[in-house]
Amino acid sequence: MYPVDEVIRGFGQDHQVGRMEAGDQSSVAQALESLLGGMRILPASLCRLPMGLLGMADAVGGSRLLGVCEGSKAPGWFGRFQGETFEVNRLEILQAPLSEANASALRESVPYTRPQTLGLRPSFGFGDRIGLATPGHVMAATEAGGKILPVFAQQSIREMTRTERTPGQVLDDATWGVFRTGWTLPCGADADHLKTESDVELTAEAGFVFFTIDPSEHVDQQADDYDESQIEEKFQDLILQGVEGAVDFAGLYLGRTFEIEAGEEPFRVTFDNLLLKRAAVKYGRALAHTYRMADHVRKRMASKPFELEISVDETAQPTSPLEHLFVALELKRHGISIVSLAPRFVGRFEKAIDYMGDVGLFEESLKRHVAIAEQFGPYKISVHSGSDKFRIYPSLARISRGRFHVKTAGTSYLEALRTVCRVDSALFRSIVRFGRERFQSDRRSYHISARLDLVPKEEDLSQEDLERTYLDEDCGRQILHVTFGSVLTERKGRDYLFREKIRRILIENQDLHEAVLRDHLGRHVRMLLSS
């Protein structure tokens, strides 16, 4: 029998928290399994704490935390967890459910499970709409060898509403996945597409540290189509209505030319009368909203570390270098420090499929966005709807010189459905059938190309063709992608129609689920490292 009690005695009161050596993890796991019976100890989760061990175990009824210390010598951290305790062979054993309170206690006790700010290092947002994907995401992130840092907890308020999840649940699910797999490198937590101060309150309270401000509802989406007289009228309206900063725009920028350093291809941006006022009309109110939101985040987080991203990608037209520069200058003037900015790029960034457009034009545009970000930041360039944009990943990594952030989410949901397809084709067919019924209504908030008439019905496809058509081909992927909220929240009486069935399959086929996530998201990571 491996001497667990001797190992624990070696961890004094001042011992540093951290993972055990791999050999010790395996030996301790085997010893605990023999001692306790009926549990599968997860070796990768085992870590040292003062005078004890903490890990995770799978058992009948679900996963749970497992704490171990010497009997009658329970350390202070032991009491943070809510669960049952008992003594075996002079060891005090704690079994604790994966509850909200225990997730909070875990983040307090084991520092590497807490989300951290990631700064200017390259980063990748994974996103998880079901709450079981983090172990697979860890496997994919491991392929980066620490060169790209992960954001495991990432979800927008809109996605949380559509999936009936709370910010706390999103963060807790990521916490359990991080601890389960023994991930110890920094990882972030992104409260995505925040539009109101109440959004900030909810996500800050849950423990998020990365706040993406989305002022899209305050962008004038018609600004590119106004004639000169309309622009002048609306510009004067900004001033008359007291929009913050508007009275200063002309004095600060009108007629000014900015030299942008861009390696061997420097360029100039000149704010002539029409271009300046069009940019102001388009983004003036959005910037004022951004200042208020950023100030609220600062006050809410107080002394806690946090970082901000600004999203201006949800516009009909691409963000021009002049518009990007205008936004960057105004953020700097108002003392708003950002870690990343998401412009609207040239080409089409449709959900769940590859980049649609000329890669050469994308590269030329990206070079200018990167140059502005470096000179007037520095901050990272963020790519939203970044799932499956394999054609541009090498360009993004190379041109940004590693100062990038990529956001994905829906592609992990599709890989969960791939697991369902391989395990229970009848359930998958019913999800496809339901998705087709909901597609026309659910697609309204998305800019996508998919059409029902371009995709065969599920009843006409073999098992092999079913997976290929709906999980590998563009139209089928988009049909399933945009209907995720309906699929996950549809009820029959009080019970969910699909949600719990999907979760059960993912839990019972965890190895398969992790493997498909590793393969698909790992490809994303490898492409970003290939420049």
Side-chain angles (χ1 to χ4, degrees), residues 1 37-38 65 72 106 112 116 126 147 187 197 203 205 216 235 244 273 299 347 350 358 462 476 482 509 520 525:
M1 174 72 68
L65 282 173
S72 73
L106 179 61
Y112 60 76
Q116 301 178 39
F126 283 90
K147 294 179 180 178
C187 58
E197 292 180 356
T203 51
E205 178 66 24
S216 59
F235 180 77
E244 185 171 355
N273 185 66
K299 291 177 179 177
E350 294 192 9
D358 185 316
S462 66
V482 303
N509 298 273
H520 191 65
V525 171

mmCIF file of all heavy atoms in Angstrom, residues 1 37-38 65 72 106 112 116 126 147 187 197 203 205 216 235 244 273 299 347 350 358 462 476 482 509 520 525:
data_model
loop_
_atom_site.group_PDB
_atom_site.id
_atom_site.type_symbol
_atom_site.label_atom_id
_atom_site.label_comp_id
_atom_site.label_asym_id
_atom_site.label_seq_id
_atom_site.Cartn_x
_atom_site.Cartn_y
_atom_site.Cartn_z
ATOM 1 N N MET A 1 0.849 -1.193 0.000
ATOM 2 C CA MET A 1 0.000 0.000 0.000
ATOM 3 C C MET A 1 0.887 1.246 0.000
ATOM 4 O O MET A 1 1.820 1.347 0.791
ATOM 5 C CB MET A 1 -0.910 0.007 1.228
ATOM 6 C CG MET A 1 -1.729 1.277 1.398
ATOM 7 S SD MET A 1 -3.057 1.418 0.192
ATOM 8 C CE MET A 1 -4.113 0.079 0.745
ATOM 9 N N GLY A 37 -12.572 2.430 -2.067
ATOM 10 C CA GLY A 37 -13.444 1.540 -2.837
ATOM 11 C C GLY A 37 -14.582 2.280 -3.527
ATOM 12 O O GLY A 37 -15.112 3.262 -3.002
ATOM 13 N N GLY A 38 -14.951 1.834 -4.706
ATOM 14 C CA GLY A 38 -16.102 2.387 -5.412
ATOM 15 C C GLY A 38 -15.868 3.744 -6.041
ATOM 16 O O GLY A 38 -16.823 4.378 -6.506
ATOM 17 N N LEU A 65 -15.411 16.299 -5.152
ATOM 18 C CA LEU A 65 -14.105 16.639 -4.613
ATOM 19 C C LEU A 65 -13.737 15.652 -3.524
ATOM 20 O O LEU A 65 -14.610 15.155 -2.794
ATOM 21 C CB LEU A 65 -14.118 18.048 -4.023
ATOM 22 C CG LEU A 65 -14.028 19.229 -4.990
ATOM 23 C CD1 LEU A 65 -14.226 20.532 -4.222
ATOM 24 C CD2 LEU A 65 -12.696 19.240 -5.707
ATOM 25 N N SER A 72 -7.781 14.128 12.901
ATOM 26 C CA SER A 72 -7.702 15.053 14.052
ATOM 27 C C SER A 72 -6.769 16.237 13.796
ATOM 28 O O SER A 72 -6.513 17.012 14.708
ATOM 29 C CB SER A 72 -7.239 14.323 15.331
ATOM 30 O OG SER A 72 -5.855 14.007 15.272
ATOM 31 N N LEU A 106 -12.770 26.136 -3.927
ATOM 32 C CA LEU A 106 -11.653 25.583 -4.689
ATOM 33 C C LEU A 106 -10.797 26.704 -5.256
ATOM 34 O O LEU A 106 -9.565 26.659 -5.189
ATOM 35 C CB LEU A 106 -12.188 24.691 -5.815
ATOM 36 C CG LEU A 106 -11.140 24.055 -6.731
ATOM 37 C CD1 LEU A 106 -10.202 23.157 -5.931
ATOM 38 C CD2 LEU A 106 -11.818 23.260 -7.855
ATOM 39 N N TYR A 112 -4.239 28.095 -8.994
ATOM 40 C CA TYR A 112 -4.218 27.925 -10.448
ATOM 41 C C TYR A 112 -5.601 27.644 -11.033
ATOM 42 O O TYR A 112 -5.757 27.637 -12.265
ATOM 43 C CB TYR A 112 -3.198 26.863 -10.880
ATOM 44 C CG TYR A 112 -3.394 25.460 -10.331
ATOM 45 C CD1 TYR A 112 -4.367 24.617 -10.839
ATOM 46 C CD2 TYR A 112 -2.546 24.965 -9.342
ATOM 47 C CE1 TYR A 112 -4.524 23.319 -10.364
ATOM 48 C CE2 TYR A 112 -2.681 23.673 -8.858
ATOM 49 C CZ TYR A 112 -3.671 22.859 -9.369
ATOM 50 O OH TYR A 112 -3.817 21.566 -8.898
ATOM 51 N N GLN A 116 -7.279 34.352 -14.528
ATOM 52 C CA GLN A 116 -6.272 35.403 -14.424
ATOM 53 C C GLN A 116 -6.327 36.311 -15.645
ATOM 54 O O GLN A 116 -6.834 35.930 -16.704
ATOM 55 C CB GLN A 116 -4.869 34.788 -14.324
ATOM 56 C CG GLN A 116 -4.667 33.860 -13.146
ATOM 57 C CD GLN A 116 -3.279 33.250 -13.143
ATOM 58 O OE1 GLN A 116 -2.292 33.909 -13.465
ATOM 59 N NE2 GLN A 116 -3.187 31.977 -12.802
ATOM 60 N N PHE A 126 -12.251 29.525 -25.767
ATOM 61 C CA PHE A 126 -12.856 28.267 -26.188
ATOM 62 C C PHE A 126 -14.388 28.320 -26.148
ATOM 63 O O PHE A 126 -15.047 27.916 -27.098
ATOM 64 C CB PHE A 126 -12.336 27.121 -25.323
ATOM 65 C CG PHE A 126 -10.948 26.683 -25.689
ATOM 66 C CD1 PHE A 126 -9.844 27.257 -25.082
ATOM 67 C CD2 PHE A 126 -10.743 25.711 -26.649
ATOM 68 C CE1 PHE A 126 -8.555 26.857 -25.420
ATOM 69 C CE2 PHE A 126 -9.467 25.304 -27.004
ATOM 70 C CZ PHE A 126 -8.367 25.883 -26.383
ATOM 71 N N LYS A 147 2.286 28.434 -25.445
ATOM 72 C CA LYS A 147 2.523 29.563 -26.358
ATOM 73 C C LYS A 147 1.251 30.346 -26.642
ATOM 74 O O LYS A 147 1.307 31.505 -27.066
ATOM 75 C CB LYS A 147 3.134 29.053 -27.663
ATOM 76 C CG LYS A 147 4.525 28.458 -27.496
ATOM 77 C CD LYS A 147 5.072 27.951 -28.814
ATOM 78 C CE LYS A 147 6.471 27.342 -28.634
ATOM 79 N NZ LYS A 147 6.987 26.812 -29.926
ATOM 80 N N CYS A 187 -5.147 30.880 -17.128
ATOM 81 C CA CYS A 187 -6.293 30.836 -18.034
ATOM 82 C C CYS A 187 -7.242 31.967 -17.653
ATOM 83 O O CYS A 187 -7.299 32.363 -16.486
ATOM 84 C CB CYS A 187 -7.003 29.477 -18.007
ATOM 85 S SG CYS A 187 -7.613 28.972 -16.387
ATOM 86 N N GLU A 197 -24.734 47.899 -17.673
ATOM 87 C CA GLU A 197 -24.050 47.860 -16.387
ATOM 88 C C GLU A 197 -24.494 46.655 -15.560
ATOM 89 O O GLU A 197 -23.701 46.101 -14.792
ATOM 90 C CB GLU A 197 -24.301 49.163 -15.633
ATOM 91 C CG GLU A 197 -23.634 50.371 -16.285
ATOM 92 C CD GLU A 197 -23.878 51.666 -15.535
ATOM 93 O OE1 GLU A 197 -24.635 51.642 -14.535
ATOM 94 O OE2 GLU A 197 -23.321 52.700 -15.938
ATOM 95 N N THR A 203 -21.523 39.432 -14.037
ATOM 96 C CA THR A 203 -20.315 38.680 -14.391
ATOM 97 C C THR A 203 -19.161 38.975 -13.439
ATOM 98 O O THR A 203 -18.367 38.082 -13.125
ATOM 99 C CB THR A 203 -19.915 38.968 -15.847
ATOM 100 O OG1 THR A 203 -19.855 40.390 -16.056
ATOM 101 C CG2 THR A 203 -20.928 38.379 -16.815
ATOM 102 N N GLU A 205 -19.540 39.720 -10.260
ATOM 103 C CA GLU A 205 -19.893 38.994 -9.041
ATOM 104 C C GLU A 205 -19.525 37.521 -9.152
ATOM 105 O O GLU A 205 -19.084 36.895 -8.173
ATOM 106 C CB GLU A 205 -21.390 39.142 -8.765
ATOM 107 C CG GLU A 205 -21.890 38.388 -7.543
ATOM 108 C CD GLU A 205 -21.329 38.922 -6.248
ATOM 109 O OE1 GLU A 205 -20.934 40.106 -6.211
ATOM 110 O OE2 GLU A 205 -21.274 38.158 -5.274
ATOM 111 N N SER A 216 -22.418 47.951 -29.748
ATOM 112 C CA SER A 216 -22.968 47.897 -31.107
ATOM 113 C C SER A 216 -24.350 48.538 -31.210
ATOM 114 O O SER A 216 -24.703 49.083 -32.265
ATOM 115 C CB SER A 216 -23.027 46.447 -31.600
ATOM 116 O OG SER A 216 -23.825 45.642 -30.748
ATOM 117 N N PHE A 235 -23.658 65.173 -37.148
ATOM 118 C CA PHE A 235 -22.484 65.551 -36.357
ATOM 119 C C PHE A 235 -22.838 66.681 -35.388
ATOM 120 O O PHE A 235 -22.460 66.652 -34.208
ATOM 121 C CB PHE A 235 -21.341 65.983 -37.282
ATOM 122 C CG PHE A 235 -20.096 66.375 -36.550
ATOM 123 C CD1 PHE A 235 -19.248 65.411 -36.024
ATOM 124 C CD2 PHE A 235 -19.763 67.718 -36.367
ATOM 125 C CE1 PHE A 235 -18.091 65.775 -35.339
ATOM 126 C CE2 PHE A 235 -18.618 68.084 -35.687
ATOM 127 C CZ PHE A 235 -17.781 67.111 -35.163
ATOM 128 N N GLU A 244 -20.572 62.705 -24.998
ATOM 129 C CA GLU A 244 -19.263 62.919 -24.384
ATOM 130 C C GLU A 244 -18.148 62.935 -25.439
ATOM 131 O O GLU A 244 -18.023 62.022 -26.256
ATOM 132 C CB GLU A 244 -18.965 61.829 -23.350
ATOM 133 C CG GLU A 244 -17.676 62.076 -22.587
ATOM 134 C CD GLU A 244 -17.481 61.114 -21.424
ATOM 135 O OE1 GLU A 244 -18.401 60.316 -21.154
ATOM 136 O OE2 GLU A 244 -16.413 61.184 -20.787
ATOM 137 N N ASN A 273 -12.575 66.634 -43.421
ATOM 138 C CA ASN A 273 -13.846 67.011 -42.797
ATOM 139 C C ASN A 273 -14.881 65.892 -42.854
ATOM 140 O O ASN A 273 -15.491 65.537 -41.838
ATOM 141 C CB ASN A 273 -14.396 68.266 -43.476
ATOM 142 C CG ASN A 273 -15.655 68.779 -42.792
ATOM 143 O OD1 ASN A 273 -15.632 69.217 -41.647
ATOM 144 N ND2 ASN A 273 -16.772 68.712 -43.506
ATOM 145 N N LYS A 299 -14.902 50.592 -11.333
ATOM 146 C CA LYS A 299 -15.420 50.779 -9.977
ATOM 147 C C LYS A 299 -15.841 49.447 -9.369
ATOM 148 O O LYS A 299 -15.622 49.200 -8.172
ATOM 149 C CB LYS A 299 -16.601 51.745 -10.003
ATOM 150 C CG LYS A 299 -16.211 53.177 -10.329
ATOM 151 C CD LYS A 299 -17.429 54.083 -10.423
ATOM 152 C CE LYS A 299 -17.039 55.518 -10.729
ATOM 153 N NZ LYS A 299 -18.226 56.387 -10.904
ATOM 154 N N GLY A 347 -14.177 40.760 -45.731
ATOM 155 C CA GLY A 347 -14.593 39.370 -45.887
ATOM 156 C C GLY A 347 -15.737 39.039 -44.945
ATOM 157 O O GLY A 347 -16.265 39.905 -44.244
ATOM 158 N N GLU A 350 -18.720 34.241 -41.024
ATOM 159 C CA GLU A 350 -19.968 33.574 -40.686
ATOM 160 C C GLU A 350 -19.717 32.504 -39.630
ATOM 161 O O GLU A 350 -18.618 31.952 -39.512
ATOM 162 C CB GLU A 350 -20.607 32.967 -41.930
ATOM 163 C CG GLU A 350 -21.055 34.010 -42.939
ATOM 164 C CD GLU A 350 -21.942 33.422 -44.030
ATOM 165 O OE1 GLU A 350 -22.345 32.244 -43.903
ATOM 166 O OE2 GLU A 350 -22.235 34.137 -45.004
ATOM 167 N N ASP A 358 -11.208 37.124 -49.758
ATOM 168 C CA ASP A 358 -9.868 37.125 -50.338
ATOM 169 C C ASP A 358 -8.853 37.220 -49.191
ATOM 170 O O ASP A 358 -8.804 38.234 -48.480
ATOM 171 C CB ASP A 358 -9.728 38.320 -51.284
ATOM 172 C CG ASP A 358 -8.410 38.336 -52.037
ATOM 173 O OD1 ASP A 358 -7.361 38.086 -51.412
ATOM 174 O OD2 ASP A 358 -8.430 38.624 -53.254
ATOM 175 N N SER A 462 -27.824 8.318 -44.756
ATOM 176 C CA SER A 462 -27.260 7.209 -43.994
ATOM 177 C C SER A 462 -26.526 7.768 -42.785
ATOM 178 O O SER A 462 -26.302 8.977 -42.672
ATOM 179 C CB SER A 462 -26.273 6.431 -44.868
ATOM 180 O OG SER A 462 -25.146 7.238 -45.179
ATOM 181 N N GLY A 476 -25.085 22.548 -43.257
ATOM 182 C CA GLY A 476 -25.549 21.714 -42.150
ATOM 183 C C GLY A 476 -25.014 22.207 -40.811
ATOM 184 O O GLY A 476 -25.746 22.260 -39.813
ATOM 185 N N VAL A 482 -26.911 27.723 -35.221
ATOM 186 C CA VAL A 482 -27.769 28.851 -34.815
ATOM 187 C C VAL A 482 -28.986 28.405 -34.018
ATOM 188 O O VAL A 482 -29.660 29.239 -33.410
ATOM 189 C CB VAL A 482 -28.216 29.688 -36.033
ATOM 190 C CG1 VAL A 482 -27.013 30.201 -36.792
ATOM 191 C CG2 VAL A 482 -29.158 28.921 -36.945
ATOM 192 N N ASN A 509 -19.836 9.126 -22.215
ATOM 193 C CA ASN A 509 -18.866 8.916 -23.295
ATOM 194 C C ASN A 509 -17.823 10.036 -23.267
ATOM 195 O O ASN A 509 -17.490 10.628 -24.290
ATOM 196 C CB ASN A 509 -19.580 8.875 -24.644
ATOM 197 C CG ASN A 509 -20.570 7.734 -24.741
ATOM 198 O OD1 ASN A 509 -20.215 6.614 -25.118
ATOM 199 N ND2 ASN A 509 -21.816 8.008 -24.392
ATOM 200 N N HIS A 520 -10.625 18.693 -33.036
ATOM 201 C CA HIS A 520 -11.116 19.855 -33.772
ATOM 202 C C HIS A 520 -10.516 21.157 -33.252
ATOM 203 O O HIS A 520 -10.010 21.972 -34.038
ATOM 204 C CB HIS A 520 -12.640 19.916 -33.700
ATOM 205 C CG HIS A 520 -13.219 20.922 -34.641
ATOM 206 N ND1 HIS A 520 -13.116 20.803 -36.009
ATOM 207 C CD2 HIS A 520 -13.893 22.081 -34.429
ATOM 208 C CE1 HIS A 520 -13.704 21.833 -36.592
ATOM 209 N NE2 HIS A 520 -14.176 22.627 -35.651
ATOM 210 N N VAL A 525 -5.600 25.415 -32.788
ATOM 211 C CA VAL A 525 -4.368 25.812 -32.110
ATOM 212 C C VAL A 525 -3.159 25.578 -33.004
ATOM 213 O O VAL A 525 -2.269 26.434 -33.117
ATOM 214 C CB VAL A 525 -4.233 25.041 -30.782
ATOM 215 C CG1 VAL A 525 -2.856 25.268 -30.167
ATOM 216 C CG2 VAL A 525 -5.332 25.468 -29.803
#
